[in-house]
Amino acid sequence: MIEFREVSKTYPDGTRAVEDFSLVIPARRITVLVGSSGSGKTTLMRMINRMVDPSSGTVEIDGRDISKIEPVRLRRGIGYVMQNSGLLPHRTVAENIATVPRLSGVSRADARKRALAMMDTVGLVRTLADRYPSQLSGGQQQRVGVARGLAIDPNILLMDEPFSAVDPIVRAELQQEVLRLQKELAKTIVFVSHDIDEAFLLGDEVVVLEQGGRIVQQGAPEQILAEPANDFVATFIGADRGKRRLTISDAASRGDDRVLVDAGGYPVGVIAAPGGRLAVGHPSPKSRSISNKTDQAGDA
Amino acid sequence: MNLFGGAFAWILDPAHWSAGPDISGHLLEHLAVSGLCVLIAVAIALPIGIGIGHSGRGRGAAILISNIARALPTLGLLSILILLFGIGLLPITVVLVILAIPPMLAGAYAGVESVDRQTIDAARALGMTEWQIVLRVEIPLALPLLIGGLRATALQVIATLGIASAFAFGGLGIYLINGLAQADFVQLLAGAILITALALVVDGLLAAVQRLVVPHGVALGRSNPNDPQKRARAPRPRAVQEGMQS
Ligand SMILES: Nc1ncnc2c1ncn2[C@@H]1O[C@H](COP(=O)(O)OP(=O)(O)O)[C@@H](O)[C@H]1O
Ligand SMILES: [Mg+2]
């Protein structure tokens, strides 16, 4: 569990990036901080591994005030995946993944073994192990970044817009990969995004932020979608544009499935309607991730 | 042409390679003194330059001091030091080291500054200490520019020693002085050719080293037009010259 207590951050140039921010981030779930550019997401995330120290307030991990923990030690225990991979260009894929284990004193041979295993975990073929980052595609680089973040088996994984620089099809693939990994590993993941669709897809908990790190709404995606707290959220999630308001089309249908269209008349999916009745259910996150796979690829 | 022919004949004359303090002796002497001065300059300028590049502090002061060092009249300073300490290794070493520090300093901080900030930020976020960042990330990636600074330094020292040594020390400059004193232009030109040749050989060797130390992954990235990170790195030796003049 990560807890922000009345945290503020003013940068030396006077920018008030975060003001009086309090939040509890639950363990072993994915919490997405979502907001437009400049809303303080990166600043908040970097306070968790002390890449940024708050001007006031405290950040606690499992009840421990992290300002008492030496930054280098703290960082070696927290995985961090950044937007443009941040891989070391002069080191191979395997060496990059093994960086933190090596820093922590794991032998070269063991670190390589672990790196190769991590490559399997994130879906990278082992033949890439001795390539350099510059020889990989953007999507492969991000997978290496994720593997590196997970290499020491951290409890906490920080992901700062990790997929925003890759093309939409690869992004959808990587998002599914995160859901799959999370099912296996159950980490405390803090994920930063400016993309509300990504937040709804990945987040167990979604925190919508305004400028200054002000929390406008927080809750499960279903809750936020059902009851946007105000106009800002409604606009942000696209509810006002009719993107989220779906209607059952009477035109095309196959068997008991009915086609859904949005307010603009665009088909967005099908809904099961056995015997003409709509089925009400509570799909678990598992089924959500599976059923979304095709949707996301289609969106791209 | 006649003069050049004479100069090369003079250099190749076996008599000038065997008797007493011969060409090879002066060559070695020139090389040894240059090497010593470059070594001292590196020992002083490299840590300071890397420190400046890493911390982003002190750049202005370094440029100021470099400019002052460059503006000092070499021969005037040498004369004063000789008056103070007498003829010998000390005055020439001091003067050459002062001359050698600015290009080495510029190569060092320009090299470290050229390393992609995001790469360094990532290294820090992984839990590298500042020392580990310097040793495992910044220096390996800055190495081509560091060697570039070393090249400029070595050239400067070898060339200047040719002139300055006439006052105070042996080395190849002895042929310049003897040539001038005896109005022996063949010997004078031979000395100049030898100094130039030595400088070119050393520069060529260091240029080869400079190519060798480009990290493999970075060299590959340069030839890969699809590499999205390429613009951020790709240090070029030119930056050293720019750094030196700033
Ligand atoms: N190192 C810094 N120095 C000064 N201002 C900064 C710094 N980092 C971020 N900011 C400012 O703080 C605000 C929040 O930035 P950031 O946390 O990066 O937001 P986000 O990740 O949501 O885009 C922005 O106005 C940004 O310009
Ligand atoms: Mg950001």
Side-chain angles (χ1 to χ4, degrees):
Chain A
M1 188 182 80
I2 304 165
E3 183 165 5
F4 289 85
R5 286 177 195 264
E6 292 160 18
V7 168
S8 297
K9 176 66 190 181
T10 306
Y11 283 106
D13 67 356
T15 309
R16 301 174 69 96
V18 172
E19 285 181 68
D20 196 22
F21 179 89
S22 295
L23 177 71
V24 175
I25 295 174
R28 303 195 168 275
R29 320 201 64 195
I30 302 180
T31 300
V32 181
L33 306 180
V34 64
S36 42
S37 173
S39 54
K41 308 180 294 291
T42 298
T43 302
L44 284 167
M45 166 164 284
R46 286 162 74 88
M47 286 185 194
I48 299 172
N49 62 358
R50 292 199 64 190
M51 287 297 284
V52 170
D53 279 325
S55 313
S56 67
T58 55
V59 180
E60 291 177 3
I61 295 178
D62 296 331
R64 276 187 74 188
D65 179 354
I66 62 168
S67 68
K68 307 279 192 299
I69 306 176
E70 208 265 316
V72 167
R73 241 197 63 221
L74 179 71
R75 289 170 197 155
R76 284 187 193 171
I78 297 177
Y80 188 39
V81 187
M82 42 210 287
Q83 183 175 346
N84 29 20
S85 83
L87 299 178
L88 303 178
H90 58 304
R91 297 201 175 174
T92 63
V93 166
E95 286 166 352
N96 263 289
I97 297 172
T99 306
V100 188
R102 290 287 289 145
L103 291 174
S104 313
V106 175
S107 78
R108 193 180 290 272
D110 285 350
R112 182 172 171 92
K113 252 186 246 156
R114 197 180 301 184
L116 292 175
M118 283 316 306
M119 291 181 69
D120 299 341
T121 307
V122 302
L124 283 167
V125 287
R126 288 188 174 205
T127 49
L128 295 176
D130 297 314
R131 297 268 185 93
Y132 287 91
S134 59
Q135 296 171 295
L136 304 182
S137 71
Q140 288 170 329
Q141 290 185 13
Q142 288 311 115
R143 282 179 198 265
V144 177
V146 174
R148 181 175 67 176
L150 290 170
I152 34 129
D153 196 21
N155 292 326
I156 297 173
L157 185 63
L158 308 179
M159 307 182 83
D160 191 352
E161 308 205 17
F163 311 139
S164 59
V166 296
D167 69 72
I169 293 176
V170 176
R171 187 185 312 145
E173 239 173 71
L174 291 169
Q175 287 165 344
Q176 290 308 320
E177 203 73 32
V178 167
L179 289 171
R180 183 183 66 73
L181 280 173
Q182 177 63 356
K183 239 188 301 167
E184 268 172 43
L185 306 173
K187 303 290 183 192
T188 303
I189 298 182
V190 185
F191 195 107
V192 158
S193 179
H194 63 257
D195 174 357
I196 191 66
D197 291 317
E198 183 172 67
F200 281 172
L201 172 65
L202 297 180
D204 296 306
E205 179 93 356
V206 172
V207 181
V208 184
L209 298 174
E210 248 183 349
Q211 299 300 309
R214 212 170 63 75
I215 298 177
V216 221
Q217 191 168 8
Q218 148 186 21
E222 294 81 3
Q223 284 173 302
I224 295 175
L225 196 49
E227 293 176 64
N230 56 25
D231 289 351
F232 176 85
V233 179
T235 307
F236 195 69
I237 67 177
D240 63 335
R241 279 171 286 137
K243 183 181 164 202
R244 307 279 179 195
R245 183 154 294 276
L246 307 180
T247 324
I248 298 171
S249 158
D250 54 1
S253 66
R254 199 185 86 206
D256 282 341
D257 284 353
R258 305 292 301 273
V259 173
L260 295 180
V261 295
D262 67 12
Y266 292 97
V268 290
V270 292
I271 188 165
R277 288 169 176 275
L278 293 182
V280 177
H282 296 279
S284 67
K286 248 184 244 178
S287 60
R288 187 175 92 218
S289 72
I290 292 162
S291 64
N292 265 326
K293 183 155 200 155
T294 44
D295 290 352
Q296 281 305 109
D299 282 349
Chain B
M1 273 295 101
N2 243 351
L3 197 58
F4 271 95
F8 280 112
W10 191 94
I11 292 171
L12 295 174
D13 184 348
H16 296 137
W17 287 88
S18 53
D22 58 0
I23 293 181
S24 62
H26 288 305
L27 201 71
L28 278 179
E29 200 173 41
H30 203 104
L31 211 54
V33 175
S34 303
L36 175 72
C37 295
V38 170
L39 221 62
I40 296 173
V42 168
I44 296 170
L46 193 64
I48 296 176
I50 289 173
I52 292 170
H54 177 75
S55 66
R57 280 192 292 255
R59 195 175 193 272
I63 291 172
L64 185 73
I65 292 170
S66 291
N67 285 341
I68 292 172
R70 267 194 293 259
L72 287 176
T74 306
L75 294 183
L77 185 64
L78 185 58
S79 312
I80 294 172
L81 289 172
I82 288 173
L83 288 176
L84 286 175
F85 301 108
I87 287 179
L89 195 54
L90 183 67
I92 192 84
T93 306
V94 172
V95 169
L96 289 183
V97 166
I98 288 175
L99 209 69
I101 283 177
M104 192 61 239
L105 197 61
Y109 69 63
V112 174
E113 277 173 3
S114 76
V115 179
D116 185 359
R117 294 295 108 184
Q118 282 177 341
T119 303
I120 296 169
D121 186 77
R124 190 171 286 122
L126 290 178
M128 284 198 187
T129 63
E130 295 307 302
W131 275 111
Q132 285 166 336
I133 292 170
V134 169
L135 294 175
R136 301 184 191 192
V137 180
E138 288 176 341
I139 291 182
L141 290 172
L143 216 46
L145 283 184
L146 295 183
I147 303 289
L150 185 65
R151 267 177 81 180
T153 304
L155 265 183
Q156 182 92 286
V157 168
I158 290 173
T160 311
L161 179 61
I163 301 163
S165 67
F167 278 72
F169 205 79
L172 293 168
I174 197 83
Y175 299 123
L176 303 185
I177 276 306
N178 288 349
L180 271 178
Q182 301 157 15
D184 179 354
F185 296 120
V186 170
Q187 191 182 153
L188 179 70
L189 186 59
I193 290 172
L194 284 168
I195 292 168
T196 310
L198 180 63
L200 288 179
V201 167
V202 169
D203 191 52
L205 287 176
L206 287 176
V209 172
Q210 196 174 11
R211 264 195 298 280
L212 283 178
V213 298
V214 175
H216 195 49
V218 176
L220 287 167
R222 278 191 206 159
S223 57
N224 177 0
N226 296 323
D227 178 14
Q229 297 183 350
K230 197 178 54 172
R231 272 162 291 119
R233 18 187 165 86
R236 276 157 305 154
R238 170 156 303 168
V240 172
Q241 263 96 49
E242 284 162 6
M244 278 163 48
Q245 276 148 22
S246 54

